[in-house]
């Protein structure tokens, strides 16, 4: 099995690469844990001034690993809670990163914001 996340630091830039191109860099437990760990290391490393995240292959990140999500449907509440907490922790580390962070998106990029779900009349 390959390493799910690769990190190289040069010239003050930490280049973090999601490394599951065969799965379109979909996020599974191992990738989330490795990404969280690498982000924490970058946050405290004085040699890192900027964090860049990209994906190996043709796709930045396909989102959640659907195979793993299907398996979670049969897992207990505690296991699902632990997975959700791991994802939340990784997102919190990314959100609180004390250094500029950018995504080098290869392939299509789609996004959404949960705070945008409001009646259309309130958007005008």
């Amino acid at each position: 099995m390959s390493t799910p996340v690769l990190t190289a630091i040069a010239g003050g830039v930490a280049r973090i690469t999601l490394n599951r191109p065969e799965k379109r860099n979909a996020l599974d437990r191992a990738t989330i844990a490795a990404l969280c760990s690498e982000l924490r290391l970058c946050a405290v490393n004085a040699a890192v001034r900027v964090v860049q995240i990209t994906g190996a292959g043709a796709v930045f990140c396909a989102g959640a690993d659907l195979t793993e999500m299907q398996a979670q449907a049969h897992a207990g509440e505690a296991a699902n809670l632990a997975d959700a907490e791991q994802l939340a922790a990784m997102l919190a580390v990314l959100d609180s990163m004390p250094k500029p962070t950018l995504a080098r998106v290869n392939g299509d990029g789609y996004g959404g914001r949960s705070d945008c779900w409001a009646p259309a009349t309130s958007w005008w």
Side-chain angles (χ1 to χ4, degrees), residues 97-121:
M97 177 62 66
K99 300 169 185 190
T101 305
L102 60 100
R104 185 168 180 237
V105 178
N106 41 320
D108 294 337
Y110 299 95
R113 290 180 42 183
S114 62
D115 62 339
C116 287
W117 297 104
T121 55

Side-chain angles (χ1 to χ4, degrees), residues 27-97:
L27 299 175
D28 64 352
R29 286 179 196 92
T31 305
I32 292 168
L35 182 56
C36 189
S37 177
E38 291 301 317
L39 289 169
R40 284 184 173 136
L41 291 172
C42 289
V44 298
N45 186 339
V48 174
R49 295 189 323 264
V50 175
V51 177
Q52 173 188 288
I53 303 172
T54 194
V59 177
F60 173 66
C61 179
D65 185 313
L66 297 180
T67 303
E68 194 167 272
M69 285 184 69
Q70 289 172 340
Q72 285 177 303
H74 304 291
E77 182 179 348
N80 280 307
L81 184 58
D83 286 341
E85 287 172 345
Q86 184 182 35
L87 176 61
M90 186 272 295
L91 293 173
V93 171
L94 184 59
D95 185 53
S96 65
M97 177 62 66

